[in-house]
Amino acid sequence: MRRSLVVLLLLVAGCESTAPPAAQEPPAKLAFAQQGRGATVPFVEYEAESADFTGKRIGPDRTAKTLAGEASGRMAVTLSKGDSLTFTLVQPANAVTVRYSVPDGTEGVLKVNDTELKLTAKYAWYYGGFPFSNDPSKGSPHHFYDHVRGLLGQTVAAGGKVTLSCECTIDLADFEMAPAALEKPEGSTSIVDFGADPTGAKDSSDAIQQALSTGDAWIPAGTFKVTRHLIANRTKLRGAGGWHSTLTGAGVGVYGDHSQGVHLSGFAIIGEVTERDDHAQVNGIGGALGGGSVVENLFIQHTKVGLWLDGPFSGLTVRNNRIFDTTADGLNLHQGISETVVEHNVIRNTGDDGLAMWSDQNANHHNTFRFNTVQLPLLANGIGIYGGHDNTVEANIIADILIEGAGVQVANRFSGTVPLSATTVLKDNTVLRGGSKFAGIQADVGAFFLFGKDSAITGAITLSGNSTMDSSFSGLHLYGSSMSQVTVERLTVQAPGTVGIQVQSMGAATVTKSRVEGGVYLCKDALPFTLTVADSTGLDTPACEGI
Ligand code: CA
């Protein structure tokens, strides 16, 4: 778990310091970092604003639809011609991924030591109201950032320096040791044997589909053009690693069709989606993939949703993936999905919820989102659970919520969705800078948000060991017509923007063994609610003010 601690350390340190992290400096924020939360990752994340730089630091500023407001830590660094930014690495690296922004309609070059990476505004800059457009005349620009990644051609040692220059804004950079390309596994069949073209010139869709019929297809190092859904069922599709084997093109995706026993591993899926069209099936992974299927070690970028999975099915594991720069959710388990585990994924810069379970017409149940790191959904929540039963959200780290969302939202929401029943568990999650304004209900949403929007929440919601720090508004927020089986244990709320716990619902909750700063907002005369508190601090005198 050490690396997940480093990530969190840098996330937290980013708000408070302009000094670069010293090489091998021991983590100084362990009290909040809380061992064992978030994804275990092969990289260390560095905030630009914590590096040495010329140019201009922007932020901290949480104003929606601003460059600083959309940045990790709500700060970034704008470099002009002649400026540079230098990171001092705490671990060796030969590869980098940078979150950046360039003005709309432009391209640019980012120099990283001697490596040049191409920048583009193509996947950023949305305008107008939901679901947004690329038309500047609609006004209200947002979604300013994108990621670029590349191999450095050398290994920079721990303590070594990496200098970036560009005419752009840099938010953060992930540095890592990209592994060498994996060898072709024994017994697998290379897609090249079926005519796939590793130069990316020729469309390889048909060749890869044919290779999948062998049941064990191999993607060697190379860039393969794919322009439609590849359908996988009872097959492996493995690559030489996310830095080496890439499927890319307009419409690229790997889909299940009532599929079972699919194993996807070790490649990148890079789409060309520049708008949100909810009728277009342009997701990285889609369809139904159950029966012990595994999706792991993928890098998914520039698709509509990273993984949009349609039930009913049971039994999928999604682990160790990076899902960046989508126009809608990072991952959505859509109706009737069960016994599915989503773990150790990093989800960043999504156009909607980072991770969602939407029960819609058929309850999702017995699924778990655990040990994921979700940052910067550009709309909505880090994690959203809409209806269903017996689902668990555990040990995730969620940071920087921007508009109309919480760190974690549990809701009866979206017309006709099967309501929450039995028990939903939120355990040991950490939310940093969570919560946001929410125009739909004219309220400022808390870091953890229980939302009885369409109907009273009659299912139980159990929260234990959750923490929130520096939320934009409240720490824990109960909102809606009624909820009566809410149990909160060992909740920590540090430095909330408004109150510690905000109650705008009828019903009842018990809170035990909790440390809550900011007090409780509760207007009993308007909404009868019974809050039972034991063995806690900061919850003595609920008041009808503070928000
Ligand atoms: Ca930043």
Side-chain angles (χ1 to χ4, degrees), residues 20 56 131 157 166 185 192 225 239 286 294 299 325 330 346 354 379 406 414 418 430 432 480 482 490 513 532 536 546:
K56 183 173 181 288
C166 62
V192 173
K225 186 176 184 181
V294 176
F299 178 82
D325 309 324
V346 180
L379 172 73
F414 299 119
V418 177
T430 294
L432 296 173
S482 178
R490 293 182 294 108
K513 299 177 184 170
T532 305
S536 298

Side-chain angles (χ1 to χ4, degrees), residues 414-474:
F414 299 119
S415 189
T417 291
V418 177
L420 294 157
S421 65
T423 303
T424 302
V425 174
L426 308 185
K427 181 172 185 288
D428 296 341
N429 301 285
T430 294
V431 176
L432 296 173
R433 298 178 294 271
S436 67
K437 289 189 172 298
F438 192 162
I441 56 170
Q442 304 218 322
D444 298 331
V445 167
F448 291 93
F449 186 41
L450 312 185
F451 190 17
K453 181 176 186 292
D454 293 346
S455 59
I457 297 177
T458 54
I461 303 177
T462 301
L463 295 89
S464 68
N466 296 290
S467 300
T468 162
M469 181 180 183
D470 196 17
S471 55
S472 295
F473 301 102
S474 62

Side-chain angles (χ1 to χ4, degrees), residues 410-412 420 422-426 448-452 455-464 466 476-491 501-512 514 529-534:
V410 179
N412 281 347
L420 294 157
T423 303
T424 302
V425 174
L426 308 185
F448 291 93
F449 186 41
L450 312 185
F451 190 17
S455 59
I457 297 177
T458 54
I461 303 177
T462 301
L463 295 89
S464 68
N466 296 290
L476 170 62
H477 192 178
L478 284 56
Y479 188 106
S481 55
S482 178
M483 55 191 79
S484 54
Q485 295 195 70
V486 178
T487 306
V488 180
E489 182 184 86
R490 293 182 294 108
L491 172 69
I501 299 177
Q502 178 172 337
V503 181
Q504 293 171 293
S505 171
M506 294 189 288
T510 63
V511 181
T512 56
S514 294
F529 192 92
T530 304
L531 185 68
T532 305
V533 176

Side-chain angles (χ1 to χ4, degrees), residues 238-322:
R238 293 178 287 176
W243 287 96
H244 303 289
S245 301
T246 300
L247 308 182
T248 187
V252 61
V254 181
Y255 277 61
D257 180 6
H258 302 91
S259 298
Q260 299 195 315
V262 173
H263 184 195
L264 308 178
S265 175
F267 57 94
I269 297 174
I270 299 181
E272 297 182 2
V273 178
T274 60
E275 62 184 359
R276 176 165 178 165
D277 174 357
D278 283 349
H279 299 291
Q281 294 300 318
V282 286
N283 307 310
I285 306 290
L289 285 170
S293 293
V294 176
V295 177
E296 61 183 353
N297 301 318
L298 303 188
F299 178 82
I300 302 176
Q301 184 187 31
H302 297 156
T303 60
K304 185 177 75 177
V305 179
L307 296 91
W308 180 276
L309 298 158
D310 287 307
F313 69 80
S314 180
L316 168 67
T317 301
V318 178
R319 63 188 173 214
N320 299 327
N321 303 288
R322 276 179 251 187

